[in-house]
Amino acid sequence: MLIRNVRPLGEAACDILIEGGRIAAIGPSSAAPAGADVEKGRGLLALPGLVEGHSHLDKTLWGLGWYRNDVGPNLTDKIDNERRYRAETNHDAGAASLAMARRLLANGTTSVRTFVDVDTDAGLKHLHGVIATRGTMAPIQRMQVVAFPQSGILRMPGTDRLLDEAMTAGADVVGGLDPCGIDRDPVRHLDVVFGLAQKHGKPVDIHLHEPGEMGAFSLDLILERTAALGMRGSVVISHGFCLAMIEPAQRDALLARMAQWEVSIATTAAPSRPVPTVPMCRAAGVTLFAGNDGMRDTWGPYGTPDMLERAMIVGLRSNLRRDEELLWALETVSAAGARGCGFDGHVLEPGARADVVLVEAETVAEAVVSRSPRQLVVSGGRVIARGGSLVGGA
Amino acid sequence: MLIRNVRPLGEAACDILIEGGRIAAIGPSSAAPAGADVEKGRGLLALPGLVEGHSHLDKTLWGLGWYRNDVGPNLTDKIDNERRYRAETNHDAGAASLAMARRLLANGTTSVRTFVDVDTDAGLKHLHGVIATRGTMAPIQRMQVVAFPQSGILRMPGTDRLLDEAMTAGADVVGGLDPCGIDRDPVRHLDVVFGLAQKHGKPVDIHLHEPGEMGAFSLDLILERTAALGMRGSVVISHGFCLAMIEPAQRDALLARMAQWEVSIATTAAPSRPVPTVPMCRAAGVTLFAGNDGMRDTWGPYGTPDMLERAMIVGLRSNLRRDEELLWALETVSAAGARGCGFDGHVLEPGARADVVLVEAETVAEAVVSRSPRQLVVSGGRVIARGGSLVGGA
């Protein structure tokens, strides 16, 4: 396949040659190889495939009737309300996640990391649904499923066993959650999470909403275990609000240890919370990548299946204004997401997986702030979507 | 005119009767008066006309080629860069503001407050351009022009005289800017601003980016003058970052004085800055309303002519999640904007100016987070836009 006349990340117009699902060459226009499909790029901007690095596809109510949110303000209010809602409505996490995965893909998102709740009410029901979605999407979208103890591990006895079963059932990542704040016993919580990671040989992704010194303490314990177990590059901290709440010297010491052990940060760039910013993480050499978190679920009404919109929010939250800075925002939903989650590709380079997104924009900055419609989405060398809609067969 | 079968702010379906450019009645369906135009509402959600409460229409580069931003990080870098850019390119503030005013209107924005730079380089050139736009739009969109000393008053001698001429030329509001931070002489700066307001009998809107105690000091001086001159309801503080940076007791004392003198706050809900939040202002009885600030100009690439998107950002910034809270977000771009700026209407009530916006959404919350396309825009009882485009003659 040959994609003619596109501008990779706003560079000069060129052609992208794809062979065997990978980018074979990027260069000046030349004759198409015999039998190659040719796509006319019409001078459009080419972006790498986008990455949704932190989502909860099992929870979304996208496409269903409007959910009137009347939930209390505490984290446990939201957790308990959702568990009750899903039990009462017999929520179908498989159908919900599939619909959302397809919307994400139509908008150029070729890799997704999603958490899936594992708890003593629902057991592995949601997990099985999302694993089915992962299978359905596998040829055209890569999905990592995180077995996520949303209701806590110790708070709901039996959850540790369910997480173990979830990993055996095919989950890709072991999830954790606020070791102090939710389970109120950080050592035992982390023993379960890291124990399962060791047992199953899988990475870890821990939601850390805990503020200030409490969060810094949990992060310290996590880094200690990451080093002791040699899990370089296999640990993600989601949110990490505490890093934006502690003294700069303490923060920088933690970030230096994160950089050393390649512990990445997933952020939603929440406008209402203190968050690790793009410049902060770049200066420390820590990978920061982005995701929507919930998208229109019982937790809140926000979030859209468009990673360029998330990149815009990252840019707004980190006050990125210069064109070169907007490229950093794009990286949080592409190359950095791939690095943090361990997806290959998501760069426009020879040898990379051939995920390419074409948009009408003069520059990357314009694509981000305009959230330009996706004219063409190629995943693994196949045309998957045109004009924002999946093509037949996808 | 009769708009049939709409749901005002998500309430039960009803009809809206319009007579003489005002809402005459909202109630159950009845026979249309003889000769009345009838619009089928098809059960759509009805919103009041939207308000852009803080904008800089003279600066926008919307619709022009992409401006590559390579500007330094300081406020004065941005101010000086822009003044130089506009002089070099002979920027046409009239054409720019008209194009943006029309986009805002097509998206349901029937009232706009815009700042216009007045400085010793450009003189009143930008002001005359935007006043022409105000005149062109007058039958279908109300616009308030703020004579704004973007480059300072004392820092650029002669600006005080230009501001005086701007008010004589028809500006609606006297602008001010960081009395300590930019002009470095708060008393003389405020003497000019409040002196012109008194001389011309006009209200005041002061950009206050100053952080912490410095901003609180300037605000204290502003409130002192507001009270001394009896300017109740005639002063707006734009941004007011300081209110989110000082001790709660000090903040609450300032907010109480603002409530007493009906001093309102205009916010962009900047995700990267400490800002006064919706709950904070509601608790204090202070009117908080919203605007885009710059929209794609030399200051930065963000901002769109869609006030529902701004309401969403307000919601994200103040962490508004419950349906009743999303109604507060909508109010920052409708009723509260009208109250703060002194536009009448922007509520769906008998007697109010007949500005009505119809969108496809189940609830106000859905309209805000989906930024649902505007199916119909009525301004002063006239159909102005359909399906996001201005109708012929508008």
Side-chain angles (χ1 to χ4, degrees):
Chain A
M1 179 178 180
L2 185 70
I3 310 178
R4 281 212 189 277
N5 186 22
V6 295
R7 293 176 297 110
L9 299 176
E11 300 298 315
C14 64
D15 289 3
I16 300 177
L17 181 65
I18 296 171
E19 290 175 356
R22 301 209 156 250
I23 297 174
I26 300 181
S29 192
S30 59
D37 293 332
V38 175
E39 286 288 335
K40 291 181 190 163
R42 296 179 287 116
L44 293 169
L45 188 74
L47 306 175
L50 305 176
V51 178
E52 165 50 273
H54 181 112
S55 62
H56 294 265
L57 300 194
D58 61 323
K59 298 173 186 287
T60 183
L61 307 177
W62 190 272
L64 305 179
W66 186 255
Y67 176 78
R68 283 180 199 261
N69 187 315
D70 193 34
V71 186
N74 300 311
L75 187 57
T76 48
D77 294 336
K78 297 180 174 71
I79 292 171
D80 294 343
N81 172 70
E82 177 179 59
R83 212 175 50 241
R84 191 170 53 242
Y85 168 84
R86 293 205 288 195
E88 287 170 1
T89 61
N90 201 21
H91 177 73
D92 184 344
S97 60
L98 182 60
M100 184 54 94
R102 290 170 60 84
R103 282 311 310 153
L104 282 161
L105 181 61
N107 283 329
T109 309
T110 55
S111 293
V112 177
R113 172 173 283 194
T114 179
F115 296 81
V116 181
D117 288 8
V118 170
D119 65 54
T120 51
D121 283 9
L124 303 189
K125 176 169 176 274
H126 306 317
L127 187 94
H128 289 310
V130 178
I131 284 179
T133 292
R134 184 184 65 187
T136 304
M137 299 301 287
I140 48 180
Q141 184 183 56
R142 292 165 295 167
M143 185 175 289
Q144 293 175 344
V145 172
V146 188
F148 180 51
Q150 173 75 79
S151 298
I153 298 175
L154 314 176
R155 186 170 169 257
M156 302 293 242
T159 305
D160 53 350
R161 190 176 42 72
L162 287 168
L163 289 172
D164 192 12
E165 291 173 14
M167 298 311 298
T168 302
D172 303 288
V173 183
V174 183
L177 170 70
D178 291 344
C180 293
I182 296 288
D183 265 345
R184 311 179 70 78
D185 185 343
V187 168
R188 281 182 62 216
H189 180 96
L190 293 175
D191 281 352
V192 173
V193 171
F194 280 90
L196 289 170
Q198 287 292 298
K199 176 178 172 184
H200 294 277
K202 295 291 186 184
V204 161
D205 192 329
I206 300 176
H207 278 60
L208 194 60
H209 310 94
E210 294 168 0
E213 294 297 339
M214 187 204 287
F217 172 60
S218 289
L219 180 52
D220 181 28
L221 296 180
I222 292 166
L223 289 167
E224 199 171 49
R225 281 151 181 77
T226 304
L229 298 170
M231 289 180 65
R232 187 188 304 278
S234 296
V235 175
V236 170
I237 300 296
S238 282
H239 306 306
F241 300 141
C242 62
L243 285 163
M245 303 170 80
I246 57 181
E247 292 298 318
Q250 183 187 11
R251 175 196 74 200
D252 290 346
L254 284 167
L255 287 171
R257 289 166 66 195
M258 295 180 76
Q260 182 188 353
W261 289 99
E262 295 172 23
V263 173
S264 303
I265 302 174
T267 189
T268 69
S272 63
R273 300 297 299 264
V275 295
T277 63
V278 172
M280 177 197 299
C281 292
R282 285 181 66 86
V286 171
T287 295
L288 179 75
F289 62 98
N292 273 285
D293 205 353
M295 284 184 268
R296 205 168 293 186
D297 54 31
T298 66
W299 290 64
Y302 303 102
T304 55
D306 181 353
M307 297 314 298
L308 288 184
E309 179 151 314
R310 184 55 46 183
M312 182 186 80
I313 293 174
V314 168
L316 283 167
R317 184 66 185 83
S318 280
N319 199 19
L320 307 178
R321 297 177 178 222
R322 295 155 60 107
D323 277 61
E324 63 173 351
E325 295 173 336
L326 270 291
L327 185 59
W328 306 344
L330 178 74
E331 285 174 352
T332 68
V333 300
S334 56
R339 203 159 59 238
C341 295
F343 294 113
D344 77 341
H346 298 286
V347 290
L348 296 178
E349 291 171 8
R353 193 184 135 94
D355 296 355
V356 182
V357 180
L358 301 188
V359 298
E360 195 155 344
E362 199 171 323
T363 65
V364 167
E366 184 177 4
V368 169
V369 302
S370 300
R371 296 144 282 166
S372 313
R374 302 325 105 86
Q375 301 294 335
L376 187 78
V377 177
V378 171
S379 177
R382 271 178 66 188
V383 173
I384 296 301
R386 291 184 191 276
S389 297
L390 297 178
V391 298
Chain B
M1 178 177 180
L2 186 69
I3 309 178
R4 279 212 190 277
N5 186 22
V6 295
R7 293 176 296 111
L9 300 176
E11 300 299 314
C14 63
D15 290 3
I16 300 178
L17 180 66
I18 296 171
E19 288 174 358
R22 302 209 157 249
I23 297 175
I26 300 180
S29 193
S30 59
D37 292 332
V38 176
E39 286 287 335
K40 291 180 189 164
R42 296 179 287 117
L44 293 169
L45 188 75
L47 305 175
L50 305 177
V51 178
E52 165 50 272
H54 181 112
S55 61
H56 293 265
L57 299 194
D58 61 324
K59 299 174 185 288
T60 184
L61 307 177
W62 190 272
L64 304 180
W66 186 253
Y67 175 78
R68 285 180 197 261
N69 186 316
D70 193 35
V71 186
N74 300 311
L75 187 57
T76 48
D77 294 336
K78 296 179 174 72
I79 291 171
D80 294 342
N81 172 70
E82 176 178 59
R83 211 175 51 241
R84 192 169 52 242
Y85 168 84
R86 292 205 288 195
E88 287 170 1
T89 62
N90 202 21
H91 177 73
D92 184 344
S97 61
L98 182 60
M100 183 55 93
R102 291 171 60 84
R103 282 311 311 154
L104 282 162
L105 181 61
N107 283 329
T109 309
T110 54
S111 292
V112 176
R113 172 174 283 194
T114 179
F115 296 82
V116 181
D117 289 8
V118 170
D119 64 55
T120 50
D121 282 9
L124 303 189
K125 176 170 176 273
H126 306 317
L127 187 93
H128 289 309
V130 179
I131 283 179
T133 292
R134 184 184 66 187
T136 304
M137 299 301 287
I140 47 180
Q141 183 183 56
R142 291 165 296 167
M143 185 174 290
Q144 292 175 346
V145 173
V146 187
F148 180 51
Q150 174 74 78
S151 297
I153 298 174
L154 314 176
R155 186 170 168 257
M156 302 291 242
T159 305
D160 53 350
R161 190 178 42 73
L162 287 168
L163 289 172
D164 192 12
E165 291 173 16
M167 298 311 298
T168 302
D172 304 287
V173 183
V174 182
L177 169 71
D178 290 344
C180 293
I182 296 288
D183 264 346
R184 312 179 69 78
D185 184 343
V187 168
R188 281 182 64 218
H189 180 96
L190 293 175
D191 281 351
V192 173
V193 171
F194 280 90
L196 289 170
Q198 288 291 299
K199 175 177 175 185
H200 294 276
K202 294 291 185 183
V204 161
D205 192 329
I206 300 176
H207 277 60
L208 194 60
H209 310 94
E210 294 168 0
E213 293 297 341
M214 188 205 286
F217 172 60
S218 289
L219 180 52
D220 181 28
L221 296 179
I222 292 166
L223 288 168
E224 199 171 49
R225 281 152 182 75
T226 304
L229 299 169
M231 289 181 65
R232 187 188 304 279
S234 296
V235 175
V236 170
I237 299 296
S238 282
H239 306 305
F241 299 140
C242 62
L243 285 163
M245 301 170 81
I246 57 181
E247 292 299 318
Q250 184 187 11
R251 174 195 74 201
D252 290 345
L254 285 166
L255 286 170
R257 288 166 66 195
M258 295 178 76
Q260 182 188 353
W261 289 98
E262 295 172 23
V263 173
S264 304
I265 302 173
T267 188
T268 69
S272 63
R273 300 297 300 264
V275 295
T277 62
V278 172
M280 177 197 300
C281 292
R282 284 181 66 85
V286 171
T287 295
L288 178 76
F289 62 97
N292 272 286
D293 206 353
M295 284 184 269
R296 204 168 294 186
D297 55 31
T298 66
W299 291 64
Y302 304 102
T304 56
D306 181 354
M307 297 314 297
L308 289 184
E309 179 152 314
R310 184 55 46 184
M312 182 184 81
I313 292 174
V314 168
L316 282 167
R317 185 65 186 83
S318 280
N319 199 20
L320 307 178
R321 297 177 179 223
R322 296 155 59 105
D323 277 60
E324 63 174 351
E325 295 173 336
L326 269 290
L327 184 59
W328 305 344
L330 178 74
E331 285 173 353
T332 68
V333 300
S334 55
R339 203 159 58 238
C341 295
F343 294 113
D344 78 342
H346 298 286
V347 291
L348 296 178
E349 290 171 8
R353 194 183 134 92
D355 296 354
V356 183
V357 179
L358 301 188
V359 297
E360 195 155 346
E362 200 172 322
T363 65
V364 167
E366 184 177 4
V368 169
V369 302
S370 300
R371 294 145 282 166
S372 312
R374 304 323 107 86
Q375 301 295 334
L376 187 78
V377 177
V378 171
S379 177
R382 270 179 66 189
V383 173
I384 296 300
R386 292 185 191 276
S389 297
L390 297 178
V391 298

